Structure formats: structure tokens, C-alpha cells
Amino acid sequence: MQFLSVQDMHKGAQPTPIPTLEKPEILGLPVVNARSGQVISKLLDGTRRTVFFLNAHCANIRARNHTYRAALARADMILPDGIGVEVAAKLQGVQLAENLNGTDFVPKLLKRAARLGQSVYLLGGRPGTAQAAAARLQHMIPDLTVAGTRDGFEEAARVDEAIDDINQSGADILLVAMGVPLQELWITRNRHRLDPRIVLGVGALFDFLAGNVRRAPRIVRHARMEWAWRLAMEPRRMARRYLMGNFEFLGRAAHNSVPKVSACRLLDLTLAVVALSLLALPMAAIAALVRLDSRGPAFFRQTRIGRNGVPFAMYKFRSMTQDAEARRADLLNHSDREGVCFKVKNDPRITRVGKVLRRFSLDELPQIFNVLKGDMSLVGPRPALPEEVAAYPDQALERLQVRPGITGLWQVSGRAGIGFDRMIELDTAYVRSRSPLLNLFLIALTARAVVSGRGAY
């Protein structure tokens, strides 16, 4: 269905057509690259569509299961779900507009559909789960009409009866939650007999809505670490999927993008995924400590200058008070460091937890996500603030020829104890001689520098 503005109604104008969605090929599949609002408008335009989601786990199953691979190929829309697909897209030079995971996307879709008077049918889950999920959806969306529910076991196994019930309900949207790949195979086998215009495979959505599985706190979801939360909640069931599966997926994503990935970039991605797998739970604990220690968010985003002078948002654990940026101007004249880079050894803005984080460089851990996104490298010059780059002398601009890093020659040589001019000498030396072997050597030296704490404040 398309909409007219009031002015267009008076003029008798035709509805503005909804633009075609961009579908770049990622991991060999046409994955939708658009904001959720655009996708929902497209889904509700009256066309019959089958929609599946793609995440790292799905990609691993697709590589081994030819029937599931065929089912994905027949979908009308494949939506990106999770940081794994975002990493795979980055490797192929694609910047995804939004992570369209089903747990967030489907309620948005149903909210818009309810305003249009459309109804939904829920098929899947253990006995009682679909009903509980439906009740939760109706609480979230009071004007939503649930046309019916059936479980994903005995009731779904009676296929003819299930299809008759779905069709007789008059539902416009069918949600199928049987897990990957069972739900996609069930939908593909029976799609020609199903009347609902929109059919989606929604995985564990019903369990989340029904409260059978607790969803990660908002702060963990914002950090793109919901997978780590699920691993912590169900370690025995999820260990293979999220630990071994992550390595399998990264190898597949890297292979799929060759020759677009340099040796240094491949090293970055491999080590970043390993680090994230090992540090996910400690990082969640650090985030909680930051929130408990002082008011404000656990994470701090700041604009820094990256490769070729392109600005990006750098992530850190917040180690200062919430008003730190406002108080910065008052401290500029007290910098303990020569040159354009500002640093105060006894900075009054640093929190108690922040002092510990800075002492062991733990505040920098969220930059692993910058590495995965492609904004940063594990090794390279530290990313500078825009006002610092604006004041750079000409010889300092050479450090902008490579991605900034979490660690580098400056960090292993004394960090803040080194003056600006010497830092530039080290950074330009690195730019001219960087290689995967040098990067591995500097990463190894970083561990010693972190333990010693020399120059960290």
C-alpha cells in the first residue's frame, strides 16, 4: 500500500513509488542494504514476499546444507542480522545502512502493519510459546490483530491442517519460528499454498517475546555483543555456534572477499575476532563497573580523524566524568605534553574506575569494534582529534596515510611520556615500513607495555 499526502489528494496525484532497495551481493547472496523504515515500506506495498534473515550462523549452515542454500536463493528479501554480516560486507567494500535483526525489526513491521489494519499469524516455538509471544506483541502494539497461533512441533507437523488454519485466519503476515534451517525449509516447501502476502522466518523471536530466553541488556546490544550475552546465558548450547562458528565464518568471509583484503587487514580481522571471543564477557563486566562507578553511559564515542583525513566515531569505555568535554577547555593550559596533543597526568575528570582502565589500557578495548568496521587497525598511529590534525605541521600529515591503530610504535615506546615531535617520527617510520610481521611484533610488545604501565595516564 502506498500513501498520498493531503496536498497530493487534492491534486489527484498518483502515489510516489517506493524506490527499489539496494541489494549488494554479500557472501554470495543479495542482501538488502537499507534502513528499517525503507524496508517496511517496501514490504507493505501490497506485493507477495518471502523474507529470511542472514547472520554468521546462517552463513555457516548455508555452506554445508544445499537445501537451505537453495531456500535462501528463492527468498524475495534477505535481511542482514548481526555484526558478522556487517564485517563480511565491510570486507567486500560495502557499508550496511542498518542491522535489521528480527527481534527489533519485526515489532517495527507489525506496528506499521497494525496501523493499516493488517493481521499476523504466529507459527512455531514450544507449545504455549506462540500464544505468550502473541500476548506480548499485543501488549506492545495494542491495535495489532493476531489472527491465530500454532506451536512448531505437533501442530506444525500436521502440515495440511496448519496451512488450512493459517489461510482461513485471513492473516496478512505469517511469522514462522522453527529455527534455522527448519523454518526456511518449511516455508519454501509450502509457500505456494500459503495465502499471507508476507512470510518471514524469525528464529528465536517467539522465545524472546515470551520470556523463555532473556534478551541482552540495552548496553550490551548497543555494543553489538548480544551474541556474547547469549553465550553466557547458554554456554553449553551456544559454545560451538559462537566460538568455533565465529572462526569458521571469518575464514569464509575473508575467502569470499579475496583479493580485496590485504594481508594486514586479514591479520586485523582474524585477531580482532579472536580477541572479541575471549574478551566479550570481561568487557561486559567492565561496562557494568563503569556504570556503577559514576553517572553516564558505559561507552564513550568521540570523533577522531582516520585514514586520509576521514573522520569516524571512535569507541572507548568511559573513563571520565560525564561533563569531561565541557571541562576540557579549562585544562588546556595544564597539558603535560609538548606539542599539539593535549594530555594531563593528574586529570581531575578521570573517575576511580577510569584510573584503573587507563593504567592497563582497558578503556581502549571497544576499539576492537572500530577494527572490525574498518575505521582502525590493531597497529598504527593513534587517531587524533580534529582540532589536533588542524594544527599539524606538514611532516605530521604522513601519519594519516594508514588506518589509525589501537597500538603502535608510540605505545610500546613510552606512550604519553613521549613528546609530539618524537611521536611523529615514530609514526612516520611505521608508515614507511609497516608489514604483517612488524604488526605481530608490535602487538607482542604491547602486552609488556600494558603490564609495565609506562606512560599510561
Side-chain angles (χ1 to χ4, degrees):
M1 183 176 290
Q2 294 169 324
F3 301 92
L4 292 173
S5 67
V6 174
Q7 293 84 353
D8 287 341
M9 288 180 182
H10 289 307
K11 295 176 183 177
Q14 294 298 313
T16 302
I18 299 170
T20 302
L21 299 180
E22 181 185 349
K23 294 182 181 179
E25 186 172 289
I26 299 169
L27 297 168
L29 290 168
V31 176
V32 171
N33 184 16
R35 306 294 299 180
S36 58
Q38 296 172 299
V39 178
I40 290 169
S41 295
K42 197 70 174 177
L43 284 175
L44 297 177
D45 67 1
T47 304
R48 183 178 170 88
R49 288 191 177 90
T50 301
V51 182
F52 297 147
F53 292 86
L54 177 69
N55 57 31
H57 181 57
C58 297
N60 288 342
I61 294 175
R62 175 177 175 265
R64 299 187 291 268
N65 188 321
H66 71 278
T67 53
Y68 175 55
R69 185 160 58 248
L72 285 176
R74 294 178 63 180
D76 299 299
M77 276 192 192
I78 298 175
L79 305 184
D81 175 7
I83 192 170
V85 177
E86 185 177 327
V87 169
K90 273 281 191 178
L91 285 171
Q92 296 177 217
V94 176
Q95 176 67 55
L96 291 178
E98 187 175 345
N99 170 33
L100 301 175
N101 73 85
T103 314
D104 294 320
F105 176 80
V106 173
K108 292 179 183 178
L109 169 66
L110 296 181
K111 186 174 182 179
R112 179 94 65 89
R115 293 204 299 266
L116 301 175
Q118 298 186 12
S119 60
V120 63
Y121 192 108
L122 281 68
L123 171 67
R126 297 190 295 273
T129 295
Q131 291 93 325
R136 175 61 180 161
L137 282 171
Q138 288 179 309
H139 177 75
M140 296 166 59
I141 312 168
D143 54 346
L144 177 66
T145 298
V146 176
T149 63
R150 291 178 80 87
D151 70 51
F153 290 82
E154 290 186 9
E155 291 182 342
R158 300 193 294 272
V159 177
D160 292 338
E161 180 184 314
I163 292 174
D164 287 342
D165 191 48
I166 292 167
N167 292 342
Q168 290 172 16
S169 75
D172 301 284
I173 300 172
L174 171 63
L175 307 181
V176 182
M178 298 178 181
V180 177
L182 295 181
Q183 62 195 20
E184 288 80 9
L185 300 183
W186 191 94
I187 291 170
T188 302
R189 281 195 302 267
N190 301 300
R191 185 63 175 108
H192 66 288
R193 301 171 59 192
L194 292 164
D195 289 346
R197 286 185 305 98
I198 306 170
V199 179
L200 300 96
V202 295
L205 174 65
F206 295 1
D207 283 320
F208 285 124
L209 291 171
N212 299 340
V213 177
R214 185 183 172 193
R215 198 168 183 204
R218 187 179 298 275
I219 187 174
V220 177
R221 301 201 303 268
H222 180 72
R224 310 297 301 281
M225 293 176 65
E226 193 163 5
W227 64 271
W229 174 268
R230 291 200 67 191
L231 175 62
M233 295 296 101
E234 303 178 84
R236 293 184 63 181
R237 189 167 80 88
M238 294 295 181
R240 180 176 179 81
R241 172 173 174 174
Y242 286 128
L243 296 181
M244 296 178 63
N246 282 351
F247 293 110
E248 179 185 348
F249 173 78
L250 179 63
R252 182 167 293 110
H255 176 75
N256 195 69
S257 64
V258 170
K260 296 178 181 177
V261 181
S262 68
C264 287
R265 180 66 180 145
L266 185 58
L267 177 66
D268 277 345
L269 289 168
T270 302
L271 294 182
V273 169
V274 171
L276 199 55
S277 299
L278 296 175
L279 297 172
L281 295 182
M283 287 173 69
I286 290 172
L289 288 173
V290 172
R291 290 292 301 273
L292 290 171
D293 180 53
S294 61
R295 294 181 60 185
F299 295 93
F300 175 67
R301 293 179 57 183
Q302 188 177 53
T303 299
R304 296 292 180 107
I305 301 301
R307 186 181 183 184
N308 297 323
V310 177
F312 70 96
M314 188 185 77
Y315 308 126
K316 299 180 74 170
F317 283 121
R318 182 174 57 83
S319 61
M320 290 187 173
T321 55
Q322 209 171 355
D323 61 349
E325 288 296 294
R327 297 168 61 188
R328 185 175 186 269
D330 297 333
L331 298 170
L332 286 176
N333 293 329
H334 301 282
S335 178
D336 295 317
R337 206 165 163 219
E338 296 178 358
V340 300
C341 295
F342 168 72
K343 202 79 171 178
V344 177
K345 188 168 187 177
N346 296 309
D347 196 321
R349 302 171 297 167
I350 299 176
T351 64
R352 291 173 299 176
V353 168
K355 289 180 181 179
V356 178
L357 296 182
R358 286 174 169 243
R359 168 64 175 76
F360 295 103
S361 298
L362 298 175
D363 57 321
E364 313 287 358
L365 289 179
Q367 286 156 44
I368 294 173
F369 293 107
N370 286 118
V371 174
L372 291 173
K373 288 175 64 180
D375 298 325
M376 294 179 63
S377 173
L378 289 175
V379 179
R382 283 300 292 166
L385 293 165
E387 58 267 30
E388 292 174 344
V389 173
Y392 272 3
D394 290 343
Q395 65 269 24
L397 295 175
E398 187 175 351
R399 71 194 303 271
L400 301 179
Q401 292 180 9
V402 297
R403 287 188 181 94
I406 298 177
T407 188
L409 273 174
W410 174 73
Q411 288 87 337
V412 302
S413 302
R415 288 186 273 187
I418 292 178
F420 175 78
D421 291 341
R422 178 57 178 158
M423 180 189 76
I424 295 303
E425 290 176 8
L426 292 171
D427 287 342
T428 52
Y430 168 78
V431 169
R432 295 168 187 174
S433 57
R434 71 191 184 104
S435 68
L437 185 60
L438 176 60
N439 286 359
L440 282 172
F441 180 68
L442 291 174
I443 289 169
L445 288 179
T446 298
R448 186 182 69 178
V450 168
V451 171
S452 71
R454 186 162 61 102
Y457 58 86

